[in-house]
Amino acid sequence: MTESSTKIHNKNDKKRSLSKINNEEEESNDKTLISNTTITTSTAPTPITEDGQMPQKKFYRSRAHCNPLSHNNSFDYPRNPDRIDWSIDHYPNFVPTTTNTTTTTTTTTTDGDGDDNDDESTLVVPTVLDIGCGFGGLTIALSTLLPHETILGLEIRAKVTEYVRLRILACRTEDPGHYENCSVMRSNTMKFMPNLFHRGSLEKIFLCFPDPHFKKKNHPRRIVSERLLSEYAYFLKPNTGRLYTITDVEDLHKWHLEKCRPHPMFRELTEEECAKDPCVKAMYGETEEGKKVERAGAKKY
């Protein structure tokens, strides 16, 4: 009798414990639903970095390599260079000088009678490009080194572009009146340069530590080629425009020389000319990639 009652008692305990577990699971599910509902109906989260604050790189990391020959449908670009006003989003407070930061463009409008009228307007345009600007070290350094030029960093990766934009805004906030001549844009240089820049409008183009694309099948992705050199020559000012290249990969350096030296629109600068150019020193030491190479004790070409 005692043994039988004990078994019955044990069965009842098991039923009670199972019922208790089920009730706890239902309560937990209810809490989860309540929590999810709360998240759904809450306001949008605040951005990682507010405009004017210095961003932290750890929040804007991105893959080091990107295929410039694919995924190009996500870029906004004008039909032609006349359709972009750089002073609105890029250089709103920059006061141009009479040197070379303005250009005169002619826009044609048609009256109701069919006659064409030409209107001339003076606009602020980029004069120095930092192609593949990365986290913006050289772009910002060139802003103080070349105060009368308008610097534009071009970067294909969205997160990195946003980092540079916030970094420039933070520099402007910390040092009012400075860094107004530099900006950044997300774009693919291999595709959209003709949509953004006029012929002979650029003083300098920088190609610092570009992706080497080691595999032979990926060589068409390299930022230096016969076709692209012809484009760079088209946009650079005749006789005074300069193209700067630097890399820590010797094979890529040889590729650059192999493509640039025979090109009819370029000549290699002498060592004396390079020594007199302050931009060469900035190119060696101001980029994040250049600093990384220097810490590793590797060579730069």
Side-chain angles (χ1 to χ4, degrees), residues 1 7 10 61 71 91 93 189 194 199 213 236 248 277:
M1 186 71 180
K7 289 180 178 179
N10 289 339
R61 296 292 181 185
H71 306 295
Y91 313 105
N93 300 315
T189 307
R199 178 180 182 178
H213 294 293
L236 286 168
D248 59 327
D277 191 342

Side-chain angles (χ1 to χ4, degrees), residues 34-46:
I34 293 172
S35 176
N36 288 339
T37 303
T38 304
I39 292 173
T40 304
T41 58
S42 63
T43 58
T46 56

Side-chain angles (χ1 to χ4, degrees), residues 143-144 147 168-169 171-182:
S143 176
T144 55
I168 292 173
L169 290 178
C171 289
R172 291 175 180 176
T173 302
E174 294 174 0
D175 195 357
H178 296 83
Y179 304 103
E180 298 291 347
N181 65 326
C182 67

Side-chain angles (χ1 to χ4, degrees), residues 86-87 90-97 99-103 123-130 138-140 142-153 168 172 179-184 197 201-206 237:
W86 296 96
S87 63
H90 295 276
Y91 313 105
N93 300 315
F94 177 69
V95 180
T97 62
T99 54
N100 54 7
T101 54
T102 60
T103 184
L123 301 174
V124 175
V125 297
T127 58
V128 176
L129 298 186
D130 181 11
L138 181 62
T139 301
I140 292 175
L142 291 174
S143 176
T144 55
L145 188 64
L146 305 172
H148 300 300
E149 305 291 347
T150 36
I151 321 299
L152 181 67
I168 292 173
R172 291 175 180 176
Y179 304 103
E180 298 291 347
N181 65 326
C182 67
S183 185
V184 66
F197 310 109
S201 62
L202 302 176
E203 290 283 356
K204 302 175 187 295
I205 295 177
F206 290 86
K237 291 186 176 181

Side-chain angles (χ1 to χ4, degrees), residues 64-223:
H65 306 294
C66 181
N67 182 4
L69 302 182
S70 64
H71 306 295
N72 291 304
N73 56 346
S74 62
F75 294 96
D76 294 327
Y77 57 92
R79 183 178 299 175
N80 60 65
D82 290 329
R83 291 178 174 267
I84 181 170
D85 188 349
W86 296 96
S87 63
I88 296 177
D89 296 324
H90 295 276
Y91 313 105
N93 300 315
F94 177 69
V95 180
T97 62
T98 57
T99 54
N100 54 7
T101 54
T102 60
T103 184
T104 302
T105 59
T106 302
T107 56
T108 303
T109 58
T110 303
D111 294 336
D113 57 1
D115 295 335
D116 290 340
N117 296 328
D118 290 338
D119 297 327
E120 290 188 347
S121 58
T122 303
L123 301 174
V124 175
V125 297
T127 58
V128 176
L129 298 186
D130 181 11
I131 297 177
C133 65
F135 288 97
L138 181 62
T139 301
I140 292 175
L142 291 174
S143 176
T144 55
L145 188 64
L146 305 172
H148 300 300
E149 305 291 347
T150 36
I151 321 299
L152 181 67
L154 293 172
E155 175 58 47
I156 197 170
R157 296 167 294 175
K159 290 172 66 176
V160 179
T161 304
E162 177 63 6
Y163 173 88
V164 180
R165 185 188 74 83
L166 292 167
R167 183 179 178 182
I168 292 173
L169 290 178
C171 289
R172 291 175 180 176
T173 302
E174 294 174 0
D175 195 357
H178 296 83
Y179 304 103
E180 298 291 347
N181 65 326
C182 67
S183 185
V184 66
M185 169 185 276
R186 181 171 182 252
S187 185
N188 185 346
T189 307
M190 295 180 69
K191 294 280 187 179
F192 305 122
M193 282 190 73
N195 300 89
L196 299 173
F197 310 109
H198 286 281
R199 178 180 182 178
S201 62
L202 302 176
E203 290 283 356
K204 302 175 187 295
I205 295 177
F206 290 86
L207 306 173
C208 299
F209 301 97
D211 191 338
H213 294 293
F214 290 106
K215 295 181 180 179
K216 187 174 182 180
K217 67 176 184 178
N218 292 334
H219 284 182
R221 302 179 185 178
R222 288 181 171 178
I223 199 65

